Amino acid sequence: MAGIYIHIPFCSQACHYCDFHFSTSLKLKSDLIASICHEITLQKGYLNNEAIETVYLGGGTPSLLDEGDLQQVFGALKESFELTQVAEVTLEANPEDLTTAKLDTFKKLGVNRLSIGIQSFWDEHLRFMNRSHSSSQALKCVELAQKAGFENISIDLIYGVPFRDHSVWQNDLKKAIELNVPHISAYCLTIEEKTAFGQWQKTGKLAPIDDHFAAEQFEMLVSVLESAGYEQYEISNFAKPGRYSKHNTAYWQQKPYLGIGPSAHSYNSVSRQYNVANNAAYIKALNESKIPTTVEVLEANQAFNEYLLTTLRTMWGTSLELAGTKFGVDLLKEKERELSLLRKEELLFTTDSTLYLTKKGKLFADEITSQLML
Ligand code: SF4
């Protein structure tokens, strides 16, 4: 089984923290949709006729697309891929786009899961991050989506946003739980160089993120959501039992996927490839029937590192057995010293030949992973 990701690189405004690829001008929208459809046709063979299990429209802001745009994209997908076994079709949406009419369109076209970029229920934080919606829109859109028959909803939240205490974050978590959605993703605010926040930090307008403050909010997140019946199945992802994102779980389980659109990545067990992150260059190449992509064939160590990077963050852990049989890596031997130290510090543990992060280890997942990489 395989997945398809489609990157829609348009947003109504630029959030101050975001370094994804997007444009706030919709001038090239029609050309870009045509190019995406063309790329879908050209990439027909990439997944070796594997049945498609998930389709994910991300961005950017796919909810900016109108019915005609979406019809073209889904039409192209149907022509090129076997979609009869598709179990999950996710569309990322921003709260202000979710009108009853739009929701009906999404439903009609086969979208059965919404991932809504709420980020916060507090207006001051939404303005600080330059989000294009208000807290009341955030609450209202979930209600509208549920009324329209969307039960499979995920919401995104951001923690670590500077404030004098944890009251805003506590309130965000309370409101999120009250919405009764089966899935919540929560990410720590990080400052990327090429963003407005990155610039602010350079000029001293924004203080660095307080790691201790953010870590406390992460601990609150885990404990509050666990008490509310959510499982932390990946460091940033929480779901009611069994309600995991099928698409993201497939990434973490190293299943193949095809990424379509500017800046999209693909993976087929042998190589990774990255499309150009530029709308005009993408359209120009597709007009010449070329896919503007860079292919990177993974060497054995790189493939193992990818495996470690994606699996250690999940509740299924990293299989030491698979590390040996699939990647030829005896991790217990190769990283004996590091593993012993990490165990002593209670950052990870092993059962049944699988490596897991402890609760404390999840706070340092990136550092631990880099220590164990080859
Ligand atoms: S966070 Fe989402 S809505 Fe905001 S700029 Fe990035 S892609 Fe667009």
Side-chain angles (χ1 to χ4, degrees), residues 10-15 17-20 22 59-61 94 119 131:
F10 299 107
C11 293
S12 58
Q13 62 188 53
C15 300
Y17 55 86
C18 181
D19 77 340
F20 292 146
F22 66 92
T61 311
N94 273 349
Q119 320 308 356
R131 295 289 304 170

Side-chain angles (χ1 to χ4, degrees), residues 51-288:
I52 307 301
E53 188 185 18
T54 60
V55 174
Y56 192 106
L57 273 77
T61 311
S63 56
L64 278 179
L65 298 187
D66 56 35
E67 184 168 352
D69 299 328
L70 288 166
Q71 260 168 357
Q72 286 183 60
V73 172
F74 283 113
L77 282 174
K78 270 184 207 136
E79 270 174 31
S80 296
F81 292 94
E82 165 55 53
L83 298 182
T84 52
Q85 292 184 60
V86 169
E88 184 184 275
V89 181
T90 304
L91 182 136
E92 285 183 356
N94 273 349
E96 70 276 18
D97 294 331
L98 292 178
T99 59
T100 305
K102 264 244 160 114
L103 286 159
D104 287 345
T105 300
F106 297 157
K107 201 136 223 262
K108 196 171 76 187
L109 293 169
V111 174
N112 60 14
R113 183 171 183 272
L114 293 174
S115 172
I116 309 178
I118 284 179
Q119 320 308 356
S120 173
F121 294 98
W122 205 53
D123 283 321
E124 205 176 297
H125 275 174
L126 290 169
R127 280 193 295 272
F128 171 70
M129 294 188 281
N130 202 36
R131 295 289 304 170
S132 50
H133 63 90
S134 65
S135 57
S136 58
Q137 282 174 310
L139 291 170
K140 186 95 198 348
C141 74
V142 176
E143 198 189 309
L144 275 181
Q146 285 166 334
K147 266 197 195 138
F150 284 97
E151 189 273 327
N152 202 357
I153 294 174
S154 176
I155 61 170
D156 283 358
L157 297 175
I158 294 182
Y159 62 92
V161 182
F163 197 64
R164 62 172 186 274
D165 58 27
H166 294 312
S167 55
V168 171
W169 182 233
Q170 277 161 334
N171 186 53
D172 280 349
L173 290 173
K174 184 170 167 277
K175 289 231 157 75
I177 289 166
E178 282 166 3
L179 289 174
N180 196 24
V181 289
H183 194 282
I184 297 173
S185 300
Y187 302 96
C188 185
L189 178 65
T190 47
I191 308 297
E192 306 292 345
E193 207 185 323
K194 289 181 185 147
T195 62
F197 279 167
Q199 283 306 309
W200 291 10
Q201 203 161 79
K202 231 190 244 166
T203 56
K205 195 175 159 188
L206 180 69
I209 297 299
D210 179 342
D211 288 343
H212 182 66
F213 181 78
E216 282 179 347
Q217 295 204 339
F218 177 73
E219 283 168 342
M220 286 166 56
L221 164 76
V222 175
S223 125
V224 171
L225 291 191
E226 275 180 3
S227 306
Y230 290 87
E231 283 176 289
Q232 186 183 20
Y233 70 108
E234 196 265 352
I235 297 230
S236 308
N237 287 280
F238 300 79
K240 290 279 173 75
R243 306 302 303 275
Y244 319 127
S245 153
K246 289 185 178 27
H247 188 80
N248 289 344
T249 303
Y251 282 151
W252 302 323
Q253 292 176 346
Q254 303 237 306
K255 290 189 184 165
Y257 60 88
L258 168 64
I260 300 281
S263 83
H265 294 188
S266 305
Y267 170 76
N268 66 359
S269 310
V270 180
S271 64
R272 288 209 166 280
Q273 58 189 57
Y274 315 86
N275 282 358
V276 66
N278 178 305
N279 291 357
Y282 176 80
I283 292 167
K284 184 172 180 288
L286 265 304
N287 282 344
E288 294 160 12

Side-chain angles (χ1 to χ4, degrees), residues 14-27:
C15 300
H16 287 341
Y17 55 86
C18 181
D19 77 340
F20 292 146
H21 169 65
F22 66 92
S23 162
T24 51
S25 161
L26 298 187
K27 237 174 35 202

